[in-house]
Amino acid sequence: MFNKKIALTGLMAILLSSSMSVPQSKAASALDHVQFQMNKKSYTNSTGNHPLIVAPFTVNGHSMVPLRALAQSLGTAISWNPNTHTVTLSGQPFGQITLKANTKFSVDAKGEQTKLPESIKLVNGSLIVPAKSLAELMGAQVKWNPSTQTITITKNTTVRDNLSISYTFNTSNEGWKGDFADLPVDYNKEIYALKYARALLPIGGNNTTNYGLKLVGANRSDDLFMFLTQKVENLTPNTTYQVKLDIGMYTKESGGMSGIGGSPSESVYVKAAVLNKEPKAVQKDDGSGLYYRMNIDKGDQSNEGVDAKILGNITKPNSDREGFQRVNFSYNTTVKTNSKGELFVMIGTDSGYEGLTTLYYDDIKLSAVKK
């Protein structure tokens, strides 16, 4: 299937490349703690012992450790923004933390700054951070053993009865994944033109800071499902929650137009689901060949499924005005978490229009309240 490739440049490629070697969905479930020993060029986490380029050290009594090893060991996504020269951590329960070399501040998703006890340092291509402060900002627990000069950081798995998260995508994809279904396994990549990426929103002017998640695909097989997914963790296991989604979408499709198979706007149906298992595109042989199909019941085009509901279509509000326009959607549902206290969000479009569709998603808000 189509996989997003994160482009890393210059010195920061050295910092981040190995942290991307484990898929985030696996890292988040398997990795939950890390231990560093001062002046030792290795660290230990849930998968064993690993080498370090730079050994942890102390500055004014503060333990300084490599950011990559800390973030990766706690299953946290890490990304580099070449425009602002910043590193962003994304995960739960903290949401987002943005850091910059040679500064003493971290910035959360709301833009609020927290002063750190020591400056973030760049040493031999590795960002080195004050361990205790960063761990606490990430909601992790910290233990210091003075006799062995070791610091152990453990991911906080405290369950939550209520949850409210806003995703803006201005510094990273914040853990969201993009994929495609209802197309042949051996599809022609040139004619399907599938693409998932974090991209600047087409909102006019000189926009250089407002990003969204971009999905592009051409329906060449009478159907195409383009979708985003996100895992929500640390909820009470096997418990019912009332969940609400608010979604911003940018579309350029005018109403009342005709096309092959259907309208480029009215025949592209927006669907959403919140489930206790991960929605995926899987290979299936349905008698007409080997296709990528969803492992959930999303329905087919204008028909809802057991697991997914239709929120509308991709017609823009003012069809007489050129360019992309924003459309807002909302979805409410009641769902029971799985045994790990997880829920999975899916947002997508089910296309009956046999042509190219380009969409941007922004400002996704999720709230979950225990019933």
Side-chain angles (χ1 to χ4, degrees):
M1 287 303 292
F2 184 90
N3 292 315
K4 180 183 178 184
K5 294 183 178 178
I6 301 176
L8 302 174
T9 59
L11 186 60
M12 299 312 296
I14 301 173
L15 167 67
L16 299 178
S17 59
S18 61
S19 71
M20 295 298 177
S21 63
V22 179
Q24 180 61 18
S25 60
K26 293 182 180 179
S29 61
L31 304 179
D32 57 11
H33 75 271
V34 60
Q35 185 176 88
F36 299 96
Q37 185 173 10
M38 296 303 104
N39 303 311
K40 184 177 181 180
K41 282 192 173 182
S42 66
Y43 69 100
T44 304
N45 63 18
S46 302
T47 63
N49 190 266
H50 309 279
L52 288 170
I53 297 174
V54 178
F57 54 89
T58 58
V59 176
N60 299 320
H62 300 287
S63 300
M64 306 289 291
V65 302
L67 175 62
R68 177 192 60 78
L70 171 60
Q72 177 179 331
S73 297
L74 299 186
T76 298
I78 179 170
S79 63
W80 166 244
N81 186 327
N83 295 319
T84 59
H85 302 287
T86 56
V87 168
T88 298
L89 308 179
S90 302
Q92 295 185 29
F94 61 89
Q96 272 190 195
I97 299 171
T98 302
L99 307 166
K100 189 173 183 178
N102 303 316
T103 69
K104 270 193 173 184
F105 294 93
S106 70
V107 182
D108 65 17
K110 297 179 181 179
E112 297 177 352
Q113 290 187 342
T114 299
K115 188 174 182 179
L116 304 173
E118 298 294 337
S119 295
I120 300 163
K121 303 180 185 300
L122 186 59
V123 182
N124 294 335
S126 294
L127 275 184
I128 310 299
V129 299
K132 186 174 186 294
S133 297
L134 257 294
E136 290 177 346
L137 287 171
M138 295 167 66
Q141 298 174 344
V142 181
K143 291 184 180 180
W144 169 251
N145 188 328
S147 62
T148 60
Q149 293 287 291
T150 57
I151 185 167
T152 303
I153 301 168
T154 305
K155 187 175 182 180
N156 191 344
T157 57
T158 302
V159 298
R160 294 170 288 181
D161 292 340
N162 300 300
L163 172 68
S164 180
I165 306 176
S166 294
Y167 304 95
T168 63
F169 311 117
N170 287 336
T171 56
S172 74
N173 67 354
E174 300 181 45
W176 286 80
K177 297 186 289 186
D179 212 338
F180 304 85
D182 294 338
L183 72 163
V185 170
D186 60 351
Y187 69 93
N188 185 324
K189 294 182 179 180
E190 291 186 3
I191 66 172
Y192 274 85
L194 305 182
K195 183 178 183 180
Y196 162 65
R198 188 178 71 90
L200 287 168
L201 293 172
I203 55 179
N206 296 316
N207 175 33
T208 60
T209 59
N210 197 346
Y211 283 78
L213 299 183
K214 182 179 182 180
L215 279 173
V216 182
N219 178 2
R220 303 296 187 188
S221 58
D222 300 325
D223 201 0
L224 181 67
F225 187 61
M226 312 192 302
F227 65 100
L228 303 171
T229 61
Q230 172 70 284
K231 180 167 70 171
V232 181
E233 300 177 282
N234 299 334
L235 299 172
T236 307
N238 302 313
T239 301
T240 300
Y241 280 80
Q242 182 69 42
V243 180
K244 182 183 179 184
L245 278 176
D246 291 305
I247 306 158
M249 173 193 288
Y250 287 86
T251 170
K252 63 179 177 62
E253 303 301 338
S254 300
M257 307 295 287
S258 61
I260 299 174
S263 164
S265 58
E266 288 98 338
S267 296
V268 182
Y269 305 93
V270 181
K271 295 183 176 181
V274 181
L275 308 163
N276 57 22
K277 73 173 185 177
E278 184 176 7
K280 293 181 179 180
V282 297
Q283 295 186 23
K284 290 185 179 180
D285 189 343
D286 53 14
S288 58
L290 197 60
Y291 275 71
Y292 288 111
R293 303 294 188 190
M294 295 303 296
N295 65 338
I296 64 165
D297 183 3
K298 66 171 180 62
D300 184 33
Q301 297 180 11
S302 61
N303 297 314
E304 293 184 340
V306 173
D307 298 316
K309 303 302 178 185
I310 294 177
L311 307 186
N313 58 50
I314 65 168
T315 305
K316 62 185 181 183
N318 186 349
S319 294
D320 295 327
R321 183 161 58 89
E322 293 295 322
F324 282 85
Q325 297 173 29
R326 180 173 174 136
V327 184
N328 295 316
F329 300 95
S330 291
Y331 175 59
N332 286 275
T333 189
T334 300
V335 60
K336 188 176 182 180
T337 58
N338 62 24
S339 60
K340 296 180 180 179
E342 299 170 333
L343 291 176
F344 295 87
V345 179
M346 183 192 76
I347 303 167
T349 50
D350 209 347
S351 178
Y353 163 63
E354 296 184 31
L356 186 70
T357 297
T358 301
L359 298 169
Y360 296 79
Y361 293 86
D362 189 30
D363 297 329
I364 299 175
K365 297 178 175 62
L366 181 147
S367 65
V369 179
K370 184 178 177 180
K371 295 196 70 177

